[in-house]
Amino acid sequence: MVYLDHNATSCLRPQALLAMESALSLQANPSSVHRWGRAAKSIVEKARRNVASFVHAKPEEVIFTAGGTEANFLALWGGILGAAESGEPITRLLVSALEHDSMLGNAKTIAERTSHICLEIIPASSDGIVNVDALRDLLAEGGRTFVAVMAANNETGVIQPLAEIIEITHSSGGLFAVDAVQSCGKVSTDFEDLGADYLTLSAHKLGGPQGVGALIARDSAPFARVISGGGQENNRRAGTENVAGIAGFGAAARACADDDIGHLRHLRDRFELGLKQRFNDAVIFGEPAPRLSNTSNFALPGIDAETALIALDLDGVMISSGAACSSGKVRPSHVLEAMGVSGELARSALRVSLGWNSNESDIDAALASLAKLSVRVAARQAA
């Protein structure tokens, strides 16, 4: 089997599995004061330190969640409610057209359920980069703003100019949230230097387990508790901690420090070179822009994405057609639409995403399967 869908979920790292197995052997609640409870609490806090170190944040700024979607939910709702409680309510929510559905969907819900917050979409270029001039114009219109722009897109891998975006957001008095779920572990992430108010992570994109993530909320940023109940996570997110999941998250974050990003870039470039050699009309989305070293979003005109996914899967090659959070549905990408890609070409879009255990034989197998598919499609069209 060849697995090239790491942007959906990366393979579980052995370090994460070992940490989880150890945590599962200790059946205790981290809120209990007895020795087993204290041991469970120690596991959680060790992981918190590892995750904080991974993104150069303070441990007390880390809030563990049930995944990246909840982390984005808490960043938006917690930040907006916290701003209101501080006496400086948000009146405008500016979100890029490229965001993951968990950010866009929650932003739309906020606009629908509040009477004073207006949602505005920041457009993007054909290269998949947020239009900074358009954002600057939007910010100039006034009002207290909350801006959300992801660090790198999960479909195209295009990296956004965050430093510039955050600077102009803060100069206008706004708050800024960055979805770093896809970028962390693939590019250097320094929360302290970056200056974002909120940053979100997900363990299973790093080689950790599914169902656990984190919101990094700067200690100076407004934040209100959204999920009430117990006093977990320093009273910021109630609910008994997923000790084993958090342990795996911490171990995966620590293991990421040893990843060879250059190797991933070599594999991606090998794939794209082979693609161009075999298919003269191959299109690589976002190619002129800075991209994550592990991601290639491409199209072979005339070959439907759903057909390609089935054919490759029959060959034992697993890739995707874009974001994996659509319940297995193959549908045109809102990201490619925002980049001005035609609906016909977008329906052919496929994504290869590499991970910590990818190798050259994986690349060669994917290229061979695509070439075989192309021959079958050409023969069918000629018949």
Side-chain angles (χ1 to χ4, degrees):
M1 296 294 103
V2 174
Y3 186 77
L4 296 174
D5 197 17
H6 287 262
N7 282 12
T9 286
S10 192
C11 299
L12 189 66
R13 295 174 186 263
Q15 300 95 324
L17 178 59
L18 184 63
M20 293 172 69
E21 289 175 339
S22 177
L24 284 169
S25 68
L26 181 68
Q27 294 297 321
N29 192 313
S31 296
S32 297
V33 297
H34 51 63
R35 65 184 64 188
W36 284 5
R38 296 196 304 273
K41 180 72 170 178
S42 177
I43 291 173
V44 170
E45 295 310 313
K46 177 182 177 181
R48 195 186 309 279
R49 291 191 297 272
N50 283 342
V51 171
S53 176
F54 178 53
V55 295
H56 301 278
K58 302 173 185 175
E60 57 270 24
E61 293 174 324
V62 177
I63 305 169
F64 286 120
T65 69
T69 293
E70 187 197 336
N72 282 338
F73 168 85
L74 290 182
L76 287 172
W77 284 99
I80 288 172
L81 291 175
E85 290 180 358
S86 70
E88 296 182 287
I90 299 296
T91 59
R92 301 174 67 212
L93 180 54
L94 309 182
V95 180
S96 93
L98 306 168
E99 298 305 294
H100 188 273
D101 281 341
S102 64
M103 189 68 84
L104 277 171
N106 277 300
K108 290 174 182 177
T109 299
I110 287 172
E112 291 168 357
R113 298 185 181 180
T114 59
S115 59
H116 65 285
I117 298 178
C118 175
L119 171 63
E120 296 165 84
I121 303 299
I122 312 164
S125 71
S126 60
D127 291 340
I129 298 175
V130 168
N131 188 324
V132 178
D133 289 335
L135 173 59
R136 187 176 283 108
D137 291 341
L138 286 169
L139 290 170
E141 294 176 13
R144 184 87 193 282
T145 58
F146 190 112
V147 179
V149 176
M150 65 198 330
N153 188 261
N154 50 300
E155 295 185 32
T156 64
V158 171
I159 299 170
Q160 302 302 325
L162 283 186
E164 182 181 7
I165 292 172
I166 293 172
E167 181 182 0
I168 63 175
T169 298
H170 283 165
S171 66
S172 72
L175 296 173
F176 188 87
V178 53
D179 178 345
V181 165
Q182 208 58 253
S183 64
C184 273
K186 299 158 192 153
V187 294
S188 177
T189 303
D190 191 321
F191 182 65
E192 183 59 37
D193 284 350
L194 191 60
D197 300 291
Y198 314 93
L199 182 144
T200 58
L201 304 170
S202 185
H204 74 110
K205 308 296 187 178
L206 310 170
Q210 296 169 338
V212 60
L215 165 64
I216 317 296
R218 191 171 298 280
D219 50 16
S220 60
F223 185 80
R225 183 171 61 174
V226 178
I227 302 175
S228 298
Q232 294 89 353
E233 296 303 293
N234 293 319
N235 273 321
R236 293 178 296 177
R237 192 267 191 186
T240 300
E241 296 91 344
N242 174 7
V243 178
I246 289 171
F249 187 4
R254 187 167 184 176
C256 273
D258 298 325
D259 283 352
D260 183 356
I261 303 302
H263 175 64
L264 291 179
R265 184 175 294 106
H266 162 73
L267 293 178
R268 185 203 65 189
D269 292 348
R270 179 188 180 95
F271 174 77
E272 292 184 348
L273 177 61
L275 200 65
K276 292 175 181 177
Q277 289 173 339
R278 289 166 174 80
F279 305 96
N280 293 330
D281 57 350
V283 177
I284 298 174
F285 300 112
E287 185 177 17
R291 289 182 294 150
L292 296 177
S293 58
N294 80 313
T295 304
S296 181
N297 191 205
F298 64 98
L300 304 178
I303 299 180
D304 180 75
E306 187 169 10
T307 299
L309 291 178
I310 294 171
L312 266 68
D313 187 56
L314 290 172
D315 284 344
V317 178
M318 291 166 276
I319 65 173
S320 74
S321 61
C325 298
S326 303
S327 300
K329 299 175 183 176
V330 177
R331 65 182 186 184
S333 161
H334 73 275
V335 172
L336 297 183
E337 182 182 3
M339 292 167 62
V341 176
S342 70
E344 182 179 1
L345 185 59
R347 282 189 287 275
S348 296
L350 297 166
R351 182 187 67 187
V352 161
S353 50
L354 312 167
W356 60 272
N357 59 351
S358 298
N359 55 56
E360 289 188 353
S361 64
D362 295 336
I363 300 300
D364 296 341
L367 289 170
S369 183
L370 286 168
K372 186 169 71 171
L373 169 64
S374 177
V375 171
R376 291 204 303 270
V377 170
R380 188 162 57 244
Q381 290 173 344

